[in-house]
Amino acid sequence: MYRIVEKRVLNPEVKLMKIEAPLVAAKAKPGQFIIFRVDNVGERIPLTIADTDPERGLVTVIFQEVGASTMKLGSLNEGDFIADFAGPLGTASHLDGLKKVCVIGGGLGCAIAYPQAKHLHRSGADVDIIAGFRTKELVILEDEMRENSSRLYVMTDDGSYGEKGLVTAKLGELLESGEKYDAVIAIGPLVMMKFVSLATKPYGIKTIVSMNPIMVDGTGMCGGCRVTVGGEMKFACVDGPDFDGHLVDFDEAIRRSAIYRAQEREAAEKHACRLRGGDGNA
Amino acid sequence: MPNMSLKKVKMREQAPDIRNGNFNEVALGYTAEEAVEEAARCLQCKNRPCTVGCPVSVKIPEFISKIAAGEFDKAIDIIKETNSLPAVCGRVCPQESQCEALCVRGRKGEPVAIGRLERFAADRSMEKPAAERNTAPKNGIKVGIIGAGPAGLTCAGDLAMMGYDVTIFEALHVAGGVLVYGIPEFRLPKEIVRREIDNLKILGVKIECNFIVGKTMTIDELFENGYQALFIGSGAGLPKFMGIKGENLNGVYSANEFLTRINLMNAYREEYDTPIKDFTRVAVVGGGNVAMDAARCAKRIGAKEVYIVYRRGMDEMPARREEIHHAQEEGIIFRLLSNPVEILGTEDGWVRGMRCVEMELGEPDQSGRRRPVPKAGGEFEMEVDGVIMALGTSPNPLISSTTEGLRINRHGCVEVDDKTMMTSRPGVFAGGDAVTGAATVILAMGAGKKAAVAMDQYIKAKNKQS
């Protein structure tokens, strides 16, 4: 059992939790993930590690309540325990030697982009962050991102905060104005990562994306997380989650992410109903 | 007077058209009367040929004579001297190619039903609380076992009985390995695996779940934490795909994923959260026991038509005869001498069919089986909405890639010394599928047993030197 030491509500859709898992905290590197199970009937769900505190043995995860399992996790409080928390899994991001980097986070993706930006900033790189959200009330980690970057550009789809527009618009603007990046790191919805990769391709800028496909075990056993990269079949859980954005088949990945959408919706509705204490007719 | 019937006492089974709609165990086991009757078929041969065929050397005539005498408790004690998972072995061992293949009664008629008798003795003993067994005094020496599957559990049990302080490191959230994620409930009820594992805990074995050696800690870090010897029993968990077009369409599963969702994650049970796709017509590609398990599971979760698609013929199928027979009884359709060449998709990326080519058998290949070659003009399409690839598995590189100096062969299998089971790293032993590639539960158990003896000798020799 793993204890929830801290819980914070970052916005109406996104929560942060610090979980006591000393072995994971001691080993985790940026880009790696964990698999959790809330209880004995729960699914195994992967979440990217947002931060660690090895001294206190804590691992930070940031998640959006999109399905039954994340809703269940979100309903727990400080002092509660979850059944399983395994990791660190996946290959750590290769961030060494990068001097000037543009880190792009889309919505919840900022939670994963942030530790990468922090690592780069602390190792002396010049880091620009473009953080995109749908609207003002969904903005997360603004202070943290500002502290760990040379420049932070906050974008909102509706213009209610920062600049109005998509992250790709800002990226295009920066590239056109002659900014030279060693690499662009894009983490967020698949569609966003696809268009960031398309935008950087003409400039030949190395573009790293972080894939978060459906998986079961997270150790290479199920093959559910397979992605096509440069025409080859890769398993995101062990070969990734980071891949070269110019080689990833995003259309296939978008399609595969929808395999259980109907069942997920049904399970989430059932769960929401249970939480409200309703009888299903509510 | 021995019972001279040429046939085994039949074991009751759920009727095929009932059982293919539930996950309860297919074979129902012997009653005490049936077991005594079958045990009386054993001739108690002096040269005991059956025991030679057993990878863990169960004293077969001895335990059978106790069943014949109605002394069931003594029978299980004899089995447990050499086999730490008898309720599992009685169910999933390929007895027909091991002990029972060498039974004298099999020369004329059917051999003695050794597997069914082993299962009877084990199940019977489970009805009572597990008793503390006689073990050597605790020596306080820490040994680590990587992987809680058949090889690791056996190795752990034997070392604990020798007095060692044993910890098993398991990557998943429950112990059991392939016994819990792979073999379905209707062949091996999970409750039985749980009870066998509880017996190990009574022996003092500790199990650390959610611990991925190579990630959570490396082999070197385990040594730094005071472990004197380690055993790698991490199995063969990586699925294979064919490399044909359409394999990433929605609705194509590896057998590993499909079975894990059903067995480990209980996707077929309402109260569990893990989803699985609802199929109507499914093709399972492959001819081994895993293919049979996947096909029978697909039927049970509601698929109307389930096909086994295999590129060779029935005689070449690697699955146990009993599994093939059960699958046929349950309505699985066999498309033999057929090889998939492409999986066909709908516009939005879901499986809608599979294109295959008819095969014929040519000259024998390296495996001694006749090599299948495509027949000219033999292409055909199958209309399916799901495809499950059951093409075999290979060992996981998580440990070998993070352990310097650990030699592996070109198939990714860990290399060991045949006699000592030691790898190229001193103090690191290995056995089971991690060494052989995908094989059987009982061979993995035999390897775990052999490694336990070797680890004991290694530690004793090392401590004498220092």
Side-chain angles (χ1 to χ4, degrees):
Chain A
M1 300 290 274
Y2 301 80
R3 191 161 65 100
I4 300 166
V5 175
E6 197 179 319
K7 175 184 179 182
R8 267 166 40 205
V9 178
L10 297 187
N11 75 28
E13 292 175 1
V14 174
K15 292 186 169 116
L16 172 152
M17 279 184 182
K18 293 188 180 178
I19 313 249
E20 202 168 54
L23 295 176
V24 183
K27 290 282 281 197
K29 294 194 176 69
Q32 290 190 295
F33 67 96
I34 58 91
I35 289 218
F36 79 88
R37 226 167 48 114
V38 173
D39 54 31
N40 285 331
V41 297
E43 293 172 89
R44 292 172 65 92
I45 300 282
L47 286 178
T48 306
I49 296 167
D51 210 347
T52 55
D53 182 345
E55 273 164 34
R56 293 170 65 203
L58 303 182
V59 178
T60 304
V61 289
I62 299 179
F63 58 95
Q64 195 162 5
E65 297 182 17
V66 285
S69 295
T70 40
M71 285 165 84
K72 263 191 199 172
L73 181 64
S75 70
L76 298 179
N77 291 304
E78 288 174 7
D80 290 343
F81 289 82
I82 58 172
D84 301 291
F85 194 86
L89 296 162
T91 306
S93 304
H94 298 291
L95 303 173
D96 297 343
L98 300 177
K99 296 275 176 275
K100 185 170 170 67
V101 184
C102 181
V103 177
I104 303 174
L108 180 70
C110 292
I112 308 156
Y114 158 65
Q116 314 236 11
K118 179 170 144 186
H119 180 90
L120 287 162
H121 180 75
R122 293 200 172 169
S123 53
D126 185 8
V127 180
D128 287 352
I129 299 181
I130 308 173
F133 303 92
R134 285 207 313 277
T135 184
K136 184 183 177 186
E137 66 164 352
L138 300 180
V139 175
I140 57 171
L141 300 171
E142 188 182 359
D143 295 343
E144 287 88 341
M145 289 191 286
R146 198 175 304 282
E147 271 168 39
N148 287 286
S149 60
S150 310
R151 282 161 295 272
L152 170 68
Y153 306 95
V154 178
M155 311 292 292
T156 50
D157 293 0
D158 61 0
S160 55
Y161 192 69
E163 289 178 56
K164 181 177 162 74
L166 300 173
V167 293
T168 39
K170 177 52 76 180
L171 174 67
E173 198 181 292
L174 292 170
L175 293 176
E176 264 168 48
S177 72
E179 289 282 2
K180 296 268 185 289
Y181 296 110
D182 298 335
V184 170
I185 299 173
I187 304 170
L190 289 164
V191 177
M192 181 204 93
M193 295 195 286
K194 173 182 169 176
F195 283 98
V196 167
S197 300
L198 286 173
T200 56
K201 197 157 189 193
Y203 294 88
I205 304 170
K206 176 177 171 182
T207 301
I208 305 164
V209 297
S210 177
M211 306 298 281
N212 186 17
I214 294 166
M215 58 177 76
V216 183
D217 62 291
T219 62
M221 212 181 89
C222 78
C225 65
R226 54 196 191 275
V227 285
T228 301
V229 182
E232 273 182 61
M233 185 189 285
K234 296 282 182 192
F235 290 179
C237 68
V238 287
D239 301 321
D242 288 1
F243 291 105
D244 179 341
H246 295 149
L247 298 179
V248 170
D249 182 341
F250 283 106
D251 295 337
E252 177 186 277
I254 289 167
R255 183 166 53 58
R256 288 185 63 78
S257 71
I259 294 177
Y260 299 110
R261 192 146 295 161
Q263 281 133 307
E264 275 161 13
R265 204 171 294 135
E266 198 182 307
E269 276 165 18
K270 218 166 63 185
H271 184 72
C273 203
R274 250 183 261 147
L275 280 185
R276 288 195 304 267
D279 58 3
N281 300 320
Chain B
M1 220 3 233
N3 166 1
M4 293 311 291
S5 163
L6 293 181
K7 293 214 174 274
K8 295 174 176 179
V9 173
K10 266 185 106 65
M11 183 155 59
R12 286 160 301 124
E13 289 179 349
Q14 281 197 74
D17 55 338
I18 304 273
R19 71 180 190 238
N20 68 13
N22 69 51
F23 274 84
N24 300 333
E25 197 168 15
V26 168
L28 302 172
Y30 279 157
T31 62
E33 294 72 31
E34 288 164 342
V36 170
E37 188 189 337
E38 179 63 24
R41 292 184 66 229
C42 175
L43 301 177
Q44 295 292 315
C45 307
K46 287 275 175 300
N47 58 350
R48 310 156 78 243
C50 50
T51 57
V52 180
C54 177
V56 297
S57 310
V58 169
K59 294 174 183 165
I60 295 165
E62 286 88 337
F63 95 74
I64 291 183
S65 76
K66 294 299 174 196
I67 294 181
E71 297 174 275
F72 305 139
D73 290 352
K74 287 190 180 148
I76 191 62
D77 286 346
I78 291 169
I79 297 172
K80 282 195 172 168
E81 280 174 34
T82 59
N83 184 346
S84 45
L85 307 171
V88 173
C89 292
R91 288 173 166 82
V92 303
C93 263
Q95 290 100 8
E96 67 280 6
S97 58
Q98 298 178 356
C99 52
E100 293 182 17
L102 301 170
C103 176
V104 170
R105 293 297 305 265
R107 287 186 205 157
K108 194 177 167 210
E110 291 180 350
V112 174
I114 300 168
R116 294 176 185 178
L117 291 171
E118 180 180 36
R119 169 183 166 166
F120 166 77
D123 287 1
R124 181 99 185 168
S125 75
M126 280 192 178
E127 290 165 14
K128 288 182 277 178
E132 202 135 342
R133 310 232 302 276
N134 291 333
T135 57
K138 298 264 174 272
N139 62 23
I141 298 172
K142 279 166 74 174
V143 292
I145 308 289
I146 302 161
L153 292 173
T154 305
C155 190
D158 283 16
L159 286 165
M161 296 229 267
M162 295 175 200
Y164 287 95
D165 179 0
V166 185
T167 304
I168 305 181
F169 302 100
E170 167 56 46
L172 292 172
H173 55 268
V174 285
V178 74
L179 305 177
V180 294
Y181 76 73
I183 303 176
E185 177 79 16
F186 56 83
R187 276 215 294 139
L188 178 62
K190 301 307 147 223
E191 175 63 15
I192 284 173
V193 181
R194 197 183 61 74
R195 294 186 78 147
E196 298 270 36
I197 289 166
D198 284 348
N199 284 335
L200 289 181
K201 288 184 184 159
I202 292 170
L203 287 174
V205 173
K206 286 167 275 187
I207 303 180
E208 295 267 359
C209 287
N210 299 321
F211 194 113
I212 304 108
V213 174
K215 290 286 178 189
T216 313
M217 257 190 212
T218 60
I219 293 255
D220 293 286
E221 287 166 327
L222 288 173
F223 278 125
E224 284 162 25
N225 278 278
Y227 290 89
Q228 298 274 311
L230 298 169
F231 174 77
I232 302 172
S234 50
L238 288 195
K240 289 182 186 154
F241 288 91
M242 295 186 78
I244 59 175
K245 209 176 154 212
E247 250 175 335
N248 284 358
L249 287 166
N250 292 3
V252 182
Y253 285 87
S254 72
N256 257 11
E257 179 181 3
F258 184 71
L259 290 173
T260 300
R261 283 183 180 273
I262 291 176
N263 300 323
L264 178 74
M265 304 308 294
N266 293 289
Y268 65 96
R269 288 167 66 178
E270 182 62 22
E271 65 271 33
Y272 284 78
D273 293 335
T274 298
I276 193 136
K277 191 177 173 319
D278 297 319
F279 296 121
T280 310
R281 296 156 61 91
V282 192
V284 179
V285 183
N289 288 324
V290 173
M292 300 306 138
D293 284 346
R296 296 170 71 192
C297 281
K299 190 88 185 174
R300 281 165 171 76
I301 61 168
K304 298 273 175 295
E305 280 173 28
V306 181
Y307 299 91
I308 290 276
V309 178
Y310 181 55
R311 64 198 180 118
R312 304 183 200 240
M314 190 62 95
D315 291 343
E316 288 79 25
M317 272 206 170
R320 288 181 71 191
R321 293 300 108 179
E322 182 183 322
E323 303 308 327
I324 295 171
H325 173 68
H326 276 149
Q328 284 173 325
E329 279 187 339
E330 290 170 15
I332 309 298
I333 305 157
F334 285 67
R335 297 296 292 261
L336 304 173
L337 291 166
S338 301
N339 202 30
V341 289
E342 183 185 351
I343 301 167
L344 309 165
T346 59
E347 258 172 39
D348 48 357
W350 293 82
V351 174
R352 67 166 174 87
M354 187 162 80
R355 191 183 346 263
C356 300
V357 60
E358 278 181 58
M359 309 292 276
E360 53 194 356
L361 294 176
E363 294 301 306
D365 62 10
Q366 280 172 331
S367 74
R369 296 175 299 176
R370 294 174 65 193
R371 184 195 300 275
V373 287
K375 223 190 239 179
E379 288 215 352
F380 66 97
E381 275 182 25
M382 300 175 68
E383 193 195 311
V384 290
D385 59 356
V387 175
I388 299 167
M389 291 291 177
L391 309 161
T393 53
S394 57
N396 197 315
L398 275 183
I399 294 171
S400 52
S401 64
T402 54
T403 311
E404 211 159 314
L406 186 74
R407 244 195 331 261
I408 54 168
N409 69 16
R410 66 194 172 90
H411 301 292
C413 301
V414 180
E415 285 186 5
V416 295
D417 180 303
D418 282 347
K419 284 205 187 68
T420 64
M421 309 296 283
M422 189 144 84
T423 66
S424 54
R425 278 288 302 265
V428 179
F429 298 75
D433 285 4
V435 168
T436 58
T440 60
V441 168
I442 189 70
L443 285 174
M445 290 177 58
K449 238 181 152 49
K450 202 168 146 190
V453 173
M455 288 164 81
D456 178 50
Q457 285 168 351
Y458 167 83
I459 291 169
K460 281 185 176 142
K462 204 177 79 170
N463 291 348
K464 211 174 264 175
Q465 278 169 12
S466 53

